[in-house]
Amino acid sequence: MSSRTCLNCGGTAIDVDQARGDAVCMGCGSVLEDNIIVSEVEFADRGGSARAMGQFVAGDSGGKNPNFGDAYHTGRESRAQTLSNAKNNINTLGRQLQMNQHCLDTAYNFYKMALNKRLTYGRRSAHVVAACLYLVCRTEGTPHMLLDLSDILQVNVYVLGKTFLVLARELCINAPAIGTGPQLTITVTS
């Protein structure tokens, strides 16, 4: 029940149902309010941590999403965070392979291209990072194999290979076959 009064009959017995989002006069049955939006924040326990449920909408917000803190990102903030994480992961994995800064920067540029073409969606970040690094290995002719990345990440080499092939095809990057460099000929004399 509520402290409101009905405009039709003047009754004060008003039933406000938050689940349905309406207010109904109990005296005459008139619907006084429909689709009520409340500015309450409800919290739920998820795995030992409290999380906000729903979305807070303030009357003076003008349709903008409020910022709940550093863990809540929208638009450009989220993209910047994604790129920052990718750069850190590329640098970490590339340093384990002892790759130079030029290769790491090129891999980061490949990642940005993949992100712009929405090729990162539905794929694990580590797989995309590894595929970008392997693209650099193939285009720059470094002595690394996909198996090296697979061993470091503890990921099936075929999964990484599939991600690599999708990125190479969709980004239109010609990744030369391994071993296209100068051939070594050994002559055995008896």
Side-chain angles (χ1 to χ4, degrees):
M1 298 294 171
S2 173
S3 62
R4 301 177 186 176
T5 57
C6 177
L7 299 175
N8 294 330
C9 69
T12 58
I14 309 297
D15 180 32
V16 178
D17 188 349
Q18 299 293 340
R20 287 191 323 249
D22 61 10
V24 178
C25 175
M26 299 303 287
C28 67
S30 296
V31 177
L32 304 176
E33 291 184 63
D34 193 21
N35 296 325
I36 300 172
I37 298 176
V38 296
S39 60
E40 298 174 2
V41 179
E42 182 179 328
F43 293 94
D45 183 26
R46 298 266 174 116
S49 65
R51 294 187 178 226
M53 302 299 294
Q55 182 175 358
F56 175 75
V57 179
D60 61 348
S61 70
K64 296 179 182 175
N65 289 334
N67 192 350
F68 283 122
D70 292 337
Y72 182 78
H73 297 286
T74 60
R76 294 180 193 190
E77 296 167 350
S78 177
R79 183 178 181 82
Q81 186 65 41
T82 299
L83 288 172
S84 175
N85 289 342
K87 187 167 195 152
N88 290 338
N89 293 338
I90 287 170
N91 287 334
T92 300
L93 189 55
R95 300 261 186 251
Q96 290 177 352
L97 294 171
Q98 298 176 346
M99 297 176 79
N100 63 31
Q101 191 60 44
H102 168 72
C103 290
L104 300 179
D105 293 340
T106 305
Y108 179 63
N109 288 334
F110 286 156
Y111 187 90
K112 288 193 292 189
M113 291 167 55
L115 185 64
N116 286 337
K117 286 197 161 204
R118 302 174 70 90
L119 299 175
T120 60
Y121 296 103
R123 293 183 173 85
R124 292 189 181 266
S125 177
H127 297 177
V128 177
V129 163
C132 289
L133 282 167
Y134 189 60
L135 272 171
V136 172
C137 292
R138 294 282 292 271
T139 57
E140 296 291 325
T142 66
H144 302 97
M145 296 187 303
L146 190 59
L147 189 59
D148 297 330
L149 293 159
S150 172
D151 287 344
I152 292 171
L153 294 175
Q154 295 296 300
V155 175
N156 187 325
V157 70
Y158 293 107
V159 173
L160 291 182
K162 183 178 178 183
T163 304
F164 161 74
L165 290 174
V166 168
L167 291 184
R169 182 183 69 237
E170 294 297 321
L171 297 178
C172 300
I173 297 171
N174 183 19
I178 296 176
T180 59
Q183 300 295 321
L184 178 63
T185 306
I186 300 175
T187 306
V188 178
T189 58
S190 47

